[in-house]
Amino acid sequence: MKEIGSGTSALVVGLGYRSGLAASNFLAGKGCRVLVSDLRSRDELADTIGRLDARVEVFAGNQEPSLLDRGVDLVVLSPGVPAVIPLVTEARRRGIPVIAEIELAFRFLRGSVVAITGTDGKSTTTSLVGHVLRSLGFKALVGGNIGIPLVSLVDESSDDTVSVIELSSFQLETIELFRPDVAAILNIGTDHLDRYASMDDYFRAKLRVAMNQSAGDSFVYNMDDPALSAGIGNIASRRLGFSMTNTDAEAFLEKDTVFIRDNGAVKGVLDPSRMKIIGVHNVQNAMAALLMVVSLLRKIGREPDYPLMAEACYSFEGLAHRMERVGVLEGRLFINDSKATTVGAVEMALKSLSGGVVLILGGRTKGDDYSRLHDPIAERVRFLVLIGESSREFAGIFADIPGETADGMDDALARAMRASAEGDTILLSPACASYDMYSNFEGRGEAF
């Protein structure tokens, strides 16, 4: 691909209010001729168009391949747009490069890169890595799928910056040269089968995070995930595993302490009970974060300060909508886990709680086998409140478990209160997307 800059004619496909908007303005700022295409109408896009660089030409309600006839020599694909639409297929047939906003940013980004993907835990781990790095004195930029387009951080980057990037499988589909110094896959669970033909396709997209790495780079992975451990055979970088049970891993839990294997020594580093973020999955996230930081420090020739890194883990507050303690009302603890849009995330949430649980479950399904939740719910949940489009389907799957169907969040909370007792936890952990009721999981969590 020729250098991106003045004289480049770029078509941004998908004017999302984050990635598409940021990519369009970034390209315009580099002197490119920028066209942007979106299936939505100009009225629907009015707010986003109002924030566009005035030089950007908008084609609303149009994703026709004929847009390529306007002299396009680069396509930047927003993550919400499938890479198989006719416009993208035709661009590739014509030999026009198709790249992600992440790839665009990488071409201009300075400094080191840590990239994190997986089915669950990405945002928490990404934020934790940034928090630990800042505690060590680094200028750490956190962006990507976490809600901050990486391209918007490019101008803040410098040779001593560390960019910590959360990546979805959608973003990874259209990278080319993207190469992180440290990459991680936290886990692989069933997800997005409404977009991918199979789990193998989904897994292959995730594995692209390490496809350009070499022996001098590091790859952190969950040794307790059988599919992940079995599927990383072709990765060329140095592999570092974390485990809750396997003491041969580079990070492992033993006797309520997280140990790190570093330069031939095994060091007790972290007491998980002192962390503010709760749950088994957050112990795993902390192990992964510590391994990533240590790997980066070793690559740049710096000694890890383990006590300082541990203190950073203890002070980390966590993120909203991820096992977030909302408060206590009439003796009931309310936990907002709206970000739990997969079966695996709900399983982890339930494992992390003791005592009686009233679970609010449901939304827009994503192609998963939700019957996998039957036994964990039957074992741990006192009462089930169903919400959203999935209510009818879930009422059948969980028919033998005490529960009711609610008409919206207010009704769900009223039913949860009536069904619970003092000392119980009322947990919103939906296992589904939010788009049937809310514009995003944040809106659902705020409503809760």
Side-chain angles (χ1 to χ4, degrees):
M1 181 190 298
K2 69 179 183 180
E3 186 175 342
I4 301 170
S6 181
T8 302
S9 181
L11 172 63
V12 176
V13 181
L15 184 56
Y17 73 99
R18 288 176 179 162
S19 293
L21 175 65
S24 299
N25 287 343
F26 178 83
L27 288 162
K30 294 296 179 185
C32 300
R33 172 180 173 246
V34 184
L35 298 75
V36 62
S37 157
D38 197 287
L39 282 176
R40 290 169 292 176
S41 69
R42 187 168 287 270
D43 286 345
E44 291 175 299
L45 295 168
D47 180 61
T48 309
I49 290 173
R51 292 183 284 160
L52 272 175
D53 188 294
R55 294 167 289 185
V56 176
E57 189 175 0
V58 178
F59 293 87
N62 187 348
Q63 280 187 348
E64 295 300 319
S66 58
L67 288 171
L68 300 170
D69 297 335
R70 298 175 177 269
V72 172
D73 46 38
L74 170 68
V75 172
V76 179
L77 189 65
S78 294
V81 181
V84 294
I85 65 170
L87 172 56
V88 174
T89 302
E90 177 62 15
R92 286 176 167 153
R93 190 191 70 79
R94 297 187 188 191
I96 300 171
V98 178
I99 65 171
E101 173 261 324
I102 290 289
E103 176 71 23
L104 172 66
F106 182 74
R107 307 286 176 94
F108 296 88
L109 199 64
R110 299 168 62 192
S112 303
V113 173
V114 176
I116 300 161
T117 192
T119 302
D120 299 309
K122 299 185 293 296
S123 296
T124 296
T125 307
T126 300
S127 299
L128 178 55
V129 171
H131 182 72
V132 173
L133 286 169
R134 289 177 187 131
S135 77
L136 296 174
F138 284 91
K139 179 183 177 183
L141 304 175
V142 175
N145 191 60
I146 200 167
I148 304 168
L150 184 61
V151 77
S152 69
L153 302 177
V154 165
D155 291 341
E156 295 183 51
S157 67
S158 60
D159 291 343
D160 59 355
T161 294
V162 182
S163 295
V164 188
I165 310 167
E166 177 188 333
L167 291 171
S168 69
S169 57
F170 299 170
Q171 291 168 311
L172 288 166
E173 289 172 8
T174 44
I175 61 168
E176 288 186 357
L177 304 179
F178 181 81
R179 176 185 169 183
D181 298 277
V182 182
I185 300 181
L186 303 177
N187 43 61
I188 293 291
T190 305
D191 198 14
H192 296 304
L193 293 184
D194 51 346
R195 173 149 167 168
Y196 294 103
S198 67
M199 273 295 294
D200 286 343
D201 286 347
Y202 172 61
F203 190 12
R204 279 193 291 270
K206 291 291 192 188
L207 286 171
R208 290 174 64 85
V209 70
M211 72 180 190
N212 294 317
Q213 286 192 305
S214 63
D217 304 316
S218 297
F219 174 74
V220 173
Y221 72 103
N222 186 345
M223 288 181 69
D224 296 335
D225 187 314
L228 179 55
S229 294
I232 60 172
N234 295 325
I235 288 176
S237 46
R238 177 170 170 254
R239 304 175 198 180
L240 304 169
F242 61 92
S243 173
M244 297 292 288
T245 58
N246 188 341
T247 56
D248 291 329
E250 280 71 30
F252 60 91
L253 181 70
E254 186 177 46
K255 296 179 181 177
D256 299 322
T257 300
V258 170
F259 290 84
I260 301 289
R261 200 180 302 279
D262 178 30
N263 273 1
V266 177
K267 305 174 185 292
V269 174
L270 188 73
D271 176 0
S273 69
R274 294 181 59 188
M275 295 196 303
K276 295 179 180 178
I277 52 176
I278 61 175
V280 174
H281 55 304
N282 279 321
V283 179
Q284 294 176 315
N285 293 339
M287 288 194 286
L290 290 170
L291 275 185
M292 283 182 264
V293 172
V294 172
S295 301
L296 180 67
L297 292 174
R298 290 299 182 195
K299 183 169 184 178
I300 65 176
R302 183 165 157 179
E303 281 292 317
D305 184 335
Y306 284 109
L308 194 55
M309 290 162 62
E311 287 301 322
C313 290
Y314 301 146
S315 66
F316 181 62
E317 297 280 353
L319 300 177
H321 315 295
R322 294 142 175 103
M323 291 300 286
E324 176 190 12
R325 293 174 182 261
V326 177
V328 176
L329 177 65
E330 296 182 15
R332 283 86 162 162
L333 171 65
F334 287 76
I335 293 183
N336 168 21
D337 195 29
S338 183
K339 184 62 169 66
T341 62
T342 67
V343 168
V346 178
E347 288 177 323
M348 283 295 186
L350 293 175
K351 286 180 182 177
S352 304
L353 299 174
S354 57
V357 176
V358 174
L359 173 64
I360 300 175
L361 182 78
R364 179 163 293 172
T365 59
K366 300 195 293 178
D368 203 346
D369 174 11
Y370 294 94
S371 66
R372 295 189 295 130
L373 275 173
H374 180 276
D375 290 350
I377 288 176
E379 180 181 340
R380 292 287 301 112
V381 172
R382 176 198 297 276
F383 195 82
L384 185 61
V385 181
L386 302 178
I387 59 172
E389 285 180 356
S390 62
S391 293
R392 184 184 297 272
E393 176 186 350
F394 285 7
I397 293 172
F398 308 111
D400 60 329
I401 296 171
E404 297 173 347
T405 297
D407 181 18
M409 190 63 76
D410 287 350
D411 186 37
L413 286 165
R415 292 172 186 273
M417 283 296 292
R418 288 196 297 268
S420 60
E422 190 171 334
D424 284 353
T425 297
I426 296 178
L427 169 68
L428 170 67
S429 195
C432 296
S434 61
Y435 306 123
D436 57 333
M437 298 171 67
Y438 302 96
S439 58
N440 49 45
F441 72 84
E442 293 96 336
R444 178 170 59 192
E446 290 300 326
F448 175 79

